[in-house]
Amino acid sequence: MECQGEVIAGLRAAFHTGVTIPLEFRLTELKGLLALMEENEAQILDALHRDLRKPKFEAAISEIEIVRNDICFAINNLKTWMLPEYVGTNLATKFDDCFIQRQPFGVVLIIGAWNYPLQLILLPLVGAIAAGNCALLKPSEISQATEALLAELIPKYLSKECYVVTCGGAEDTRRLLENRFDHIFYTGSQAVARKILLAAAVHLTPVTLELGGKTPCLIYGRIDMKTAAKRLVWAKYFNAGQSCVAPDYILCTKETQDALLPAIREALEAFYGPDPQKCPDVGRIVTDKHWNHLMDLLGKSKGNVTIGGESTQEEKYIAPTVLVDVDETDILMQEEIFGPILPILTVETLEEAITFVNAREKPLALYVFSDEPQVVTTVLESTNSGGFCANDGILHMTLPTLPFGGVGASGMGCYHGRYTFETFSHKRACLLRSWGLERIGALRYPPYSDTRLSWLRWATTTKKSSCSIM
Amino acid sequence: MSKQQLAVERARRAFRTGRSKPLEYRIQQLKNLERLFVERKKEIAGALKKDLNKSEHGTPLYETLGLEGEIQLAVRKLKEWAAPRPVSKNLLTLSDEVYIKPEPLGVVLIIGAWNYPWAVTIQPLIGAIAAGNAAVIKPSEVSAHTAKLMEDLLPLYVDKELYPVVTGGVPETQELLKQRFDHVFYTGNCAVGKIVMEAASHHLTPVTLELGGKSPCYIDKNCNLTIACRRIAWGKYTNCGQTCIAPDYILCDPSIQDRVIQEITKSVQEFYTENPKTCPDYGRIINQRHFKRIMAMAEDSTVAMGGDNDEAECYIAPTVLRDVKPEAKVMQEEIFGPLLPILTVDSVDSAIEFINDREKPLALYVFSSDNKLIKRVVDETSSGGFLANDCLVHFSVNDLPFGGVGNSGIGAYHGKFSFDQLSHLRGCLIKQLKMEGVNNMRYPPHTADKLGWARFFILKHVPVVRTFKLAALAMLVVIAAAIIQRILD
């Protein structure tokens, strides 16, 4: 790894030239990124296949299309986003210009993750570029093929002075964090997130943390089981369960479970055929270490495997698996699973299920499946989570108009679409006062008097749009 | 269990009952808070006089009027702020409900400062209450009389379990910071800001830090110096310079330095008479420690106006320092006192360079009649906030976010920004288990055809504005769904 300090100093020098500020530059870079995505699709799919055996469909939708879409969204809207936002004035500032100016922070650090190695580093980059920052990208070293591809392609399509890819492991990242950045964007685990926040505190650097947690999936009330099962299975086993917003576990009644299991079997068969291992649409676990960990969890679980359970070490394959008779003390319920293993816990009432969820950390996403609107509303109103989706999974994060982020232990800050631009911008309050109206302005000067104060009070309270002093 | 732990636990339990959530409750608490400021004017002014020698009129002007305005705004707008915020959808979710739902975070810790103890402690509280949170309030112990008054008065007006006041010094604050909160809101200096952020990191708690810095004030040769200097003098010497957004130092051309000094001297006399020490409208330094700190700063610079001081009274006269060098002691840290250094620069380019060589300040001031020059400074510098041709007043515009950047802070508040800062804006997608036909394109087994459809439907964003377009597109989706169902069956 080249001298990190020098790289960052270089980025800072580039930022100070002001080259990233004009709209034209940002659009050029965004178009460069778009070209990168469009001209290298085959290479990208290949790298993702080597890292995670990602099925082409999944890679196309969740890595290529989502990024392309976001780039286009930014290109189409950037001019508007960059405009000064004029805000309401009060009586005293009637002849003044009051607006919010969006400014880049400077040099930002983006740390990616391995499960969606392209999306999770490029979506933040889109916003960082759009907002006028320079960026240092640190892709995950675990998804090696994609890491290498990014290191090769980014300098070919983007300004080498303003956007740099740096590769390395945990120790290199730790040393990287000793440097000062103007914003740090991290996707990954809570343990590492704490270290990042600690490092950021030294420089008072703002951070965005996209973490995870155990995403609950509640199934209650009257329900079209077949459809629910299909959507649930799709969301769970997409990317072999290695999604931060995959449904982690299910809560439902025993009766629902009995109806759900055959529906899940049916959906799995329809999707992956009788032998999922041979199906090209089934992904693999990212590394041996992760595979071993999942197998360990499966082995130690006190639940009963009722669907799947097969595995092959050489291929890092685990079949889409469902367990029943799991309770809250089970090892599968102690950490985010992040694999194709779905425990079902039977909880007899919706209220108990909500209590169960609320006794735990706020998750990144929360799902409820039901044909009864009242059930959906109750769950929505009584719980907290980063995002919420009723009667489906994952899809809420594909909408660029919804902020995507966690709350509590699942993260802080959000992004996607305009939110990424806002995340990487400082909203500077600007007030350009006129020279006139000095007589009104003079009401605030000492010597203070009751009369002046009354006038000021009157001026304050008769306004429609409220203002504080003056 | 420590006193601090108990207060936090009680607040959390109270939050869990859900009573802070209904809008009526929040509005009731806010109205009670407003009554506090209406009914207890005298006691508040009395305590502030003891803490900072704030005058009887200075109190409402700088502390409570603003809060009353913020409360009224929150009460009036709460329904709108707290309502689900619909967003535009894509083709696949056209028939679904898609919106952002603002939700309370839980228990917020608010650490206040001593310079405007009511304003900077209660304004975040207004946002916390409006957003439906519980809040533990830790007023600054440095403004001791006000802290005690807050501890006595708040429980008489607002829910004492949901919004407890916890007083104390450094050890008590450290104990508080060990507890887990859902957000920590701190107003104060950088050094402690880092400690707060570090403590919050253990629990992955987000923070808002309202810090400070040296707010530069550039005076262009070509402007109405009389008005400019009057506004600067007001901005600087209010509260004896102990304002986070006070103009910290002046940058100007050497040719106008004398005139600037003249005009400021005139304004100071108009405001505070020939002898500010006896003027009831002029404040005092908060304590002797800060008095000594500020006096030490002036040591290696030339006094052009003022300079008189009285340690026993913590009095420092409104003071101007001339021909100050960048290496001078007074330029090494935020002054937070009534010393106004003037540094001469030969052009606005030099001023911009000088400013950009330093940490991003909380506020940046420019006085000029040349709009192009003002625009240049806006475009070529960064700061928490920017104000042309006046001082401080951007603080009072509720629709402007108030906060720092870089060393001057993280996050922003005031008006709706307070509400949003202390809420979780939860993205919600409410689908039905119908129209499954359209969904089939995303399920395995994957084919090239399906991929094509999915690329089109799932991800193409359609900003649907008019109902007509909406209806037409809905029709399109239904037809498409039927066709796809056909093809895939």
Side-chain angles (χ1 to χ4, degrees):
Chain A
M1 205 187 211
E2 341 78 355
C3 177
Q4 296 172 342
E6 271 170 32
V7 169
I8 297 165
L11 286 167
R12 216 167 265 299
F15 181 74
H16 275 138
T17 64
V19 69
T20 58
I21 307 294
L23 173 66
E24 298 70 39
F25 177 87
R26 306 183 201 190
L27 287 176
T28 305
E29 295 301 313
L30 287 172
K31 288 178 181 153
L33 196 57
L34 191 61
L36 184 160
M37 301 301 294
E38 288 172 348
E39 292 169 15
N40 298 282
E41 190 166 309
Q43 271 179 286
I44 290 172
L45 291 172
D46 175 63
L48 290 165
H49 199 260
R50 279 186 283 141
D51 281 331
L52 288 140
R53 227 197 85 148
K54 247 190 230 253
K56 179 177 167 184
F57 185 95
E58 289 191 7
I61 292 292
S62 68
E63 300 266 26
I64 298 176
E65 284 307 310
I66 196 169
V67 175
R68 274 185 53 193
N69 204 46
D70 211 62
I71 299 173
C72 291
F73 190 73
I75 290 173
N76 292 340
N77 292 289
L78 188 52
K79 190 158 182 214
T80 312
W81 294 350
M82 281 172 68
L83 288 173
E85 183 190 343
Y86 284 88
V87 301
T89 52
N90 52 45
L91 196 66
T93 50
K94 243 336 162 240
F95 298 109
D96 309 323
D97 276 338
C98 254
F99 59 92
I100 301 170
Q101 177 206 33
R102 268 120 179 121
Q103 291 188 305
F105 283 118
V107 177
V108 306
L109 172 65
I110 301 172
I111 303 177
W114 55 257
N115 54 337
Y116 292 88
L118 216 64
Q119 184 213 118
L120 296 176
I121 202 158
L122 292 184
L123 281 186
L125 178 62
V126 171
I129 296 174
N133 298 282
C134 286
L136 182 61
L137 302 176
K138 166 70 187 68
S140 170
E141 69 279 13
I142 293 174
S143 41
Q144 287 174 348
T146 311
E147 180 197 39
L149 189 65
L150 280 167
E152 180 202 328
L153 291 180
I154 294 275
K156 274 200 195 137
Y157 287 85
L158 299 182
S159 156
K160 292 194 207 18
E161 288 77 37
C162 299
Y163 314 108
V164 174
V165 177
T166 181
C167 302
E171 181 53 28
D172 298 297
T173 308
R174 195 196 56 75
R175 274 189 291 119
L176 197 59
L177 287 166
E178 285 168 8
N179 294 282
R180 182 178 184 183
F181 294 94
D182 301 303
H183 192 101
I184 298 175
F185 192 110
Y186 169 75
T187 304
S189 74
Q190 284 163 19
V192 175
R194 279 193 189 87
K195 297 194 185 125
I196 289 181
L197 256 186
L198 259 174
V202 172
H203 300 290
L204 288 171
T205 301
V207 302
T208 304
L209 303 173
E210 294 276 329
L211 311 175
K214 293 184 77 59
T215 295
C217 180
L218 282 69
I219 310 180
Y220 285 88
R222 204 177 7 95
I223 185 164
D224 172 351
M225 199 58 79
K226 184 166 170 184
T227 306
K230 277 161 77 176
R231 295 181 184 184
L232 170 61
V233 162
W234 179 81
K236 175 67 183 185
Y237 300 108
F238 196 93
N239 205 28
Q242 298 163 113
S243 310
C244 45
V245 289
D248 190 276
Y249 64 96
I250 292 178
L251 294 175
C252 64
T253 64
K254 180 83 175 49
E255 201 186 327
T256 303
Q257 181 185 266
D258 292 337
L260 181 62
L261 288 169
I264 291 180
R265 277 195 195 93
E266 201 183 317
L268 282 171
E269 173 108 19
F271 289 176
Y272 306 126
D275 188 357
Q277 189 167 3
K278 298 207 173 73
C279 176
D281 297 332
V282 174
R284 295 293 183 264
I285 307 306
V286 68
T287 65
D288 293 315
K289 183 168 160 219
H290 290 83
W291 185 90
N292 282 329
H293 180 68
L294 285 167
M295 291 310 296
D296 187 54
L297 288 178
L298 206 49
K300 291 189 176 139
S301 168
K302 303 219 177 60
N304 291 313
V305 174
T306 181
I307 298 176
E310 302 89 6
S311 59
T312 311
Q313 185 160 28
E314 310 83 69
E315 276 192 42
K316 291 174 282 182
Y317 167 76
I318 299 178
T321 301
V322 179
L323 291 98
V324 295
D325 305 322
V326 176
D327 71 29
E328 60 180 323
T329 61
D330 197 278
I331 195 170
L332 282 173
M333 291 305 293
Q334 306 317 312
E335 59 180 80
E336 187 176 358
I337 295 170
F338 227 67
I341 298 168
L342 180 59
I344 303 180
L345 286 78
T346 48
V347 177
E348 283 314 304
T349 65
L350 180 62
E351 289 66 40
E352 281 171 59
I354 289 172
T355 307
F356 185 95
V357 166
N358 286 341
R360 285 159 176 72
E361 293 294 344
K362 295 174 191 175
L364 184 56
L366 205 153
Y367 302 118
V368 60
F369 284 83
S370 184
D371 275 321
E372 292 178 42
Q374 195 49 49
V375 169
V376 171
T377 307
T378 306
V379 176
L380 178 59
E381 300 286 327
S382 325
T383 60
N384 292 107
S385 59
F388 177 90
C389 184
N391 294 319
D392 216 321
I394 301 184
L395 279 195
H396 64 292
M397 69 163 290
T398 64
L399 287 162
T401 47
L402 277 183
F404 178 67
V407 64
S410 51
M412 55 180 79
C414 63
Y415 72 129
H416 283 189
R418 186 176 190 166
Y419 296 100
T420 328
F421 171 83
E422 296 284 321
T423 286
F424 285 109
S425 298
H426 165 54
K427 294 214 268 284
R428 189 192 202 186
C430 297
L431 174 51
L432 309 183
R433 291 270 280 164
S434 69
W435 288 96
L437 293 186
E438 185 59 0
R439 295 214 144 253
I440 296 186
L443 283 174
R444 55 175 151 155
Y445 299 138
Y448 302 131
S449 70
D450 277 331
T451 328
R452 279 189 174 181
L453 190 57
S454 307
W455 277 111
L456 215 44
R457 270 217 144 92
W458 171 86
T460 316
T461 52
T462 46
K463 275 178 290 308
K464 273 197 91 172
S465 73
S466 167
C467 97
S468 357
I469 52 170
M470 284 161 280
Chain B
M1 206 186 268
S2 67
K3 207 171 74 168
Q4 293 75 25
Q5 243 176 319
L6 265 170
V8 178
E9 298 253 332
R10 212 178 307 130
R12 198 166 282 290
R13 259 202 311 270
F15 176 76
R16 288 217 174 105
T17 65
R19 67 174 183 270
S20 64
K21 289 203 193 152
L23 297 190
E24 304 73 40
Y25 186 86
R26 307 182 203 183
I27 289 173
Q28 190 54 54
Q29 293 296 306
L30 288 170
K31 286 188 170 157
N32 290 350
L33 195 56
E34 192 182 9
R35 267 193 310 118
L36 189 161
F37 294 108
V38 171
E39 293 171 10
R40 303 292 183 147
K41 276 201 275 270
K42 277 214 136 33
E43 287 133 291
I44 291 174
L48 280 168
K49 183 131 185 87
K50 293 199 196 116
D51 282 328
L52 285 144
N53 202 43
K54 270 196 222 241
S55 72
E56 199 193 316
H57 297 108
T59 294
L61 198 55
Y62 302 111
E63 295 262 21
T64 56
L65 212 61
L67 293 177
E68 290 176 56
E70 281 272 316
I71 293 173
Q72 285 158 13
L73 179 68
V75 164
R76 209 171 58 239
K77 295 275 196 172
L78 191 56
K79 193 157 176 220
E80 183 192 310
W81 293 352
R85 306 173 188 180
V87 302
S88 58
K89 329 176 198 187
N90 62 25
L91 283 176
L92 197 64
T93 47
L94 218 51
S95 57
D96 306 320
E97 282 177 69
V98 189
Y99 54 84
I100 298 168
K101 180 169 176 286
E103 296 181 345
L105 291 170
V107 181
V108 176
L109 171 62
I110 298 171
I111 301 177
W114 53 259
N115 57 339
Y116 294 89
W118 287 96
V120 307
T121 313
I122 304 297
Q123 198 151 9
L125 177 62
I126 293 168
I129 297 175
N133 300 290
V136 174
I137 301 134
K138 163 68 188 70
S140 170
E141 70 282 11
V142 179
S143 42
H145 300 94
T146 305
K148 178 86 183 48
L149 191 64
M150 258 185 221
E151 190 180 27
D152 292 338
L153 288 186
L154 272 171
L156 300 177
Y157 288 83
V158 295
D159 188 312
K160 54 171 162 304
E161 284 176 349
L162 278 172
Y163 318 112
V165 178
V166 176
T167 52
V170 171
E172 286 82 7
T173 310
Q174 283 171 336
E175 179 63 23
L176 261 182
L177 284 168
K178 286 198 197 125
Q179 312 309 317
R180 184 178 181 182
F181 293 94
D182 300 293
H183 194 101
V184 176
F185 195 113
Y186 169 76
T187 305
N189 66 57
C190 289
V192 178
K194 290 180 184 173
I195 295 171
V196 169
M197 192 168 168
E198 193 199 333
S201 72
H202 296 297
H203 298 291
L204 288 174
T205 300
V207 301
T208 303
L209 303 175
E210 295 277 331
L211 309 176
K214 292 182 79 59
S215 295
C217 180
Y218 176 71
I219 309 179
D220 185 24
K221 262 194 292 210
N222 306 312
C223 76
N224 183 329
L225 278 177
T226 307
I227 298 183
C229 292
R230 192 183 301 139
R231 293 180 179 181
I232 293 170
W234 172 76
K236 179 67 178 188
Y237 301 114
T238 295
N239 205 29
C240 231
Q242 297 163 117
T243 308
C244 48
I245 45 171
D248 189 277
Y249 64 96
I250 289 176
L251 293 169
C252 69
D253 193 277
S255 62
I256 58 168
Q257 186 179 205
D258 287 329
R259 194 119 180 257
V260 166
I261 295 171
Q262 229 177 23
E263 292 290 345
I264 292 180
T265 308
K266 221 170 43 168
S267 297
V268 165
Q269 277 170 4
E270 275 168 28
F271 296 164
Y272 306 118
T273 77
E274 292 284 341
N275 189 3
K277 196 170 178 189
T278 55
C279 176
D281 294 336
Y282 188 68
R284 292 292 181 269
I285 304 305
I286 182 78
N287 59 30
Q288 291 198 334
R289 181 171 71 84
H290 279 280
F291 174 92
K292 291 193 173 98
R293 176 187 66 82
I294 298 166
M295 289 311 302
M297 271 194 212
E299 274 166 16
D300 55 356
S301 297
T302 314
V303 174
M305 173 196 92
D308 331 305
N309 58 86
D310 180 344
E311 188 169 334
E313 264 202 54
C314 286
Y315 166 76
I316 301 178
T319 301
V320 174
L321 305 167
R322 64 174 298 137
D323 299 312
V324 176
K325 301 271 168 288
E327 316 78 56
K329 285 192 185 153
V330 77
M331 288 305 291
Q332 303 318 310
E333 60 174 85
E334 188 177 354
I335 298 167
F336 226 68
L339 306 179
L340 182 52
I342 303 179
L343 287 82
T344 53
V345 288
D346 55 22
S347 63
V348 71
D349 303 278
S350 307
I352 291 173
E353 200 184 316
F354 187 91
I355 292 168
N356 286 343
D357 278 343
R358 286 159 177 73
E359 293 293 342
K360 295 174 190 173
L362 186 55
L364 209 159
Y365 300 111
V366 170
F367 285 82
S368 175
S369 307
D370 180 354
N371 286 334
K372 282 213 190 72
L373 186 146
I374 293 175
K375 185 163 191 328
R376 253 199 82 192
V377 182
V378 170
D379 289 341
E380 295 177 29
T381 61
S382 184
S383 59
F386 178 91
L387 180 41
N389 303 326
D390 212 326
C391 291
L392 311 188
V393 297
H394 60 300
F395 185 93
S396 72
V397 180
N398 308 98
D399 288 339
L400 283 177
F402 182 76
V405 63
N407 262 23
S408 51
I410 297 177
Y413 71 130
H414 283 191
K416 185 179 182 196
F417 296 100
S418 304
F419 178 89
D420 282 357
Q421 184 84 158
L422 297 174
S423 298
H424 172 55
L425 300 174
R426 189 185 196 186
C428 300
L429 170 57
I430 317 287
K431 288 172 70 71
Q432 314 276 327
L433 287 167
K434 303 194 277 245
M435 296 255 295
E436 186 60 356
V438 190
N439 264 339
N440 282 333
M441 76 189 87
R442 78 187 202 211
Y443 299 139
H446 298 311
T447 64
D449 280 344
K450 279 193 186 180
L451 183 55
W453 281 112
R455 278 179 137 132
F456 181 70
F457 269 94
I458 294 180
L459 293 164
K460 283 291 172 283
H461 172 72
V462 179
V464 175
V465 190
R466 296 177 181 290
T467 347
F468 169 72
K469 265 197 205 164
L470 193 72
L473 273 156
M475 277 277 291
L476 183 65
V477 171
V478 171
I479 294 170
I483 296 174
I484 295 168
Q485 186 88 55
R486 275 285 178 102
I487 296 173
L488 297 174
D489 274 346

